[in-house]
Amino acid sequence: MHRLWLVFAQTVTVCLGILFIVATLRPDWLSNEPRMPQTGVGESAGRVVAGAAAGVSYADAVARAAPAVVNIYTTKVVDVPLIPLPADPELNRLFRGLPGFTQRRQSGSLGSGVIVRSDGYVLTNHHVVEAADSIRVALSDGREVDARLEGADPETDLAVLKIDLPGLQPIAFDQDEALRVGDVVLAIGNPFGVGQTTTLGIVSALGRNRLGINIYENFIQTDAAINPGNSGGALVDAQGRLVGVNTAIYSETGGSLGIGFAIPAKTAERILEEIIQSGKVTRGWLGIEPQDITPELMRAFGLERQEGVIVAAVLRRGPAHLAGLRVGDIILELEGAVIPDSVAFLNAVAPIKPGNALELTVLREGKRHQVQVEVGERPPVGRRR
């Protein structure tokens, strides 16, 4: 009996050893799934990869959007110092203007753009074409053409170009405006001048502002790789529709760190139409400097909620000054709607057409007042003094 037990134990041990070896070296022998015919390593691998990628490919979206994305090359003449100039800004400006201290040279830069209409209108960033002496656009099909600047809006960093070519394929705008955090997006542009490139990411956040990039900020944040040269390129959804215009990145190295920003397509489309119609963007303006209500100001003024904006400065002879607004007034409501902060205040005033009347609810010396203001036109950047 003892001998039989030893034989049984040895047999079980050998079987377990064989099972271990088979499970380690040839696990497919133990699988219940049918084996694929071995038609060659390359062919078999190709079938597996194609099958795995079939459900997650964004090739159709890229095929619809990529023909509308262009490369933009600009040149301008700049003054290059021949000797190190003083660090003091005033002395630097003085020496830069003297003959012999600087030499005029031609400088080039690159960016991206998006064809948005079949008659040749192209959206890009203002900083891509700012002060350019010449602008050249290269299409994805290899054609190149000179472009002219139709108009620009530095306060949103958008510009509109016009090219004259037949057979253009404009991109479709996302009319649903249903973009959500977590949605897949693709960034298409010309990073570092290597040529048209597509990167994949998701929407990381919506409504980003207070970044100090533009005056009017309402950015889409994405982790799709955006690098120098991508500015003005397209941010598209999984259907290839334009959801944003890539404009900036947060980076300590100059390359992508996964924090990129795009101007929403709705904003870009509105700016586009205004520039096409009138060559400029018109915004409502009251001539005041609004400041957010801090917890300290809330306690000092005896406010119940941290809402509204305090008037920190009033432009002399501006709309607010003519209406009687004073420094220290707190604007609580605009046309009956509560104002949460200064960003919301500027965004609420901007769409109002100049000449229209606007009713403000103002807190002054602890009492509420209704003030009627005739909205003015916001002056261009650098002309508000």
Side-chain angles (χ1 to χ4, degrees):
M1 188 70 179
H2 179 69
R3 181 176 296 175
L4 290 174
W5 173 254
L6 289 176
V7 172
F8 173 75
Q10 290 173 353
T11 302
V12 171
T13 302
V14 171
C15 290
L16 289 174
I18 294 173
L19 181 63
F20 174 77
I21 293 172
V22 171
T24 303
L25 301 180
R26 297 302 301 267
D28 54 303
W29 287 3
L30 302 177
S31 175
N32 291 327
E33 298 178 359
R35 294 177 59 191
M36 294 180 61
Q38 299 298 318
T39 56
V41 175
E43 184 180 349
S44 175
R47 288 181 179 179
V48 173
V49 171
V56 295
S57 175
Y58 299 99
D60 290 342
V62 175
R64 282 190 287 267
V69 181
V70 300
N71 300 339
I72 297 177
Y73 303 93
T74 64
T75 59
K76 60 183 176 181
V77 177
V78 296
D79 291 327
V80 179
L82 298 177
I83 60 173
L85 296 178
D88 182 84
E90 291 299 322
L91 290 177
N92 187 300
R93 184 173 61 83
L94 175 64
F95 279 96
R96 187 177 292 275
L98 293 177
F101 285 90
T102 59
Q103 183 178 22
R104 296 180 69 81
R105 294 181 183 174
Q106 194 173 66
S107 173
S109 62
L110 57 89
S112 303
V114 190
I115 301 173
V116 289
R117 286 184 28 167
S118 58
D119 52 355
Y121 286 99
V122 178
L123 264 175
T124 186
N125 284 142
H126 171 253
H127 75 261
V128 170
V129 297
E130 184 179 10
D133 295 316
S134 67
I135 305 171
R136 192 151 183 90
V137 170
L139 279 65
S140 61
D141 60 11
R143 292 183 292 175
E144 292 189 14
V145 64
D146 289 333
R148 64 178 181 270
L149 180 64
E150 292 291 298
D153 181 37
E155 298 187 337
T156 56
D157 195 21
L158 286 170
V160 177
L161 307 178
K162 184 70 165 60
I163 59 175
D164 296 318
L165 280 177
L168 298 177
Q169 300 184 45
I171 200 166
F173 282 85
D174 173 24
Q175 301 297 341
D176 297 337
E177 300 178 14
L179 198 66
R180 300 172 300 168
V181 174
D183 282 351
V184 171
V185 287
L186 306 166
I188 309 177
N190 181 23
F192 297 109
V194 300
Q196 191 176 94
T197 302
T198 302
T199 56
L200 172 71
I202 64 169
V203 176
S204 305
L206 295 170
R208 286 286 191 230
N209 53 45
R210 300 179 185 275
L211 302 177
I213 300 173
N214 302 331
I215 294 176
Y216 293 95
E217 297 181 338
N218 179 31
F219 291 118
I220 301 167
Q221 182 182 327
T222 179
D223 66 344
I226 298 174
N227 288 290
N230 271 110
S231 291
L235 188 71
V236 304
D237 61 13
Q239 286 74 49
R241 300 173 301 183
L242 185 71
V243 297
V245 177
N246 301 321
T247 190
I249 59 173
Y250 173 83
S251 177
E252 297 177 352
T253 63
S256 174
L257 295 179
I259 303 178
F261 302 101
I263 301 166
K266 181 181 179 181
T267 301
E269 189 173 20
R270 179 175 57 81
I271 299 298
L272 168 73
E273 295 301 329
E274 285 202 48
I275 288 178
I276 291 176
Q277 291 175 11
S278 62
K280 64 175 184 177
V281 178
T282 301
R283 291 189 174 89
W285 176 70
L286 298 185
I288 66 171
E289 181 182 334
Q291 179 181 328
D292 290 339
I293 300 293
T294 63
E296 293 77 15
L297 289 173
M298 184 180 69
R299 288 192 294 269
F301 285 94
L303 302 176
E304 297 178 356
R305 293 175 295 182
Q306 193 175 332
E307 294 176 339
V309 294
I310 188 169
V311 178
V314 179
L315 181 69
R316 186 172 180 81
R317 294 187 298 277
H321 180 260
L322 297 176
L325 282 178
R326 309 173 188 170
V327 172
D329 286 347
I330 297 176
I331 302 174
L332 300 175
E333 298 177 0
L334 187 152
E335 291 291 327
V338 174
I339 300 297
D341 53 33
S342 58
V343 172
F345 177 76
L346 290 174
N347 288 335
V349 173
I352 301 174
K353 296 296 182 183
N356 289 349
L358 185 65
E359 184 176 80
L360 302 176
T361 301
V362 176
L363 184 68
R364 179 185 297 166
E365 298 177 355
K367 297 181 180 180
R368 286 177 173 246
H369 301 272
Q370 303 301 123
V371 179
Q372 295 286 332
V373 184
E374 182 178 325
V375 178
E377 180 178 344
R378 186 175 180 86
V381 175
R383 297 184 185 177
R384 300 197 182 110
R385 294 183 179 179

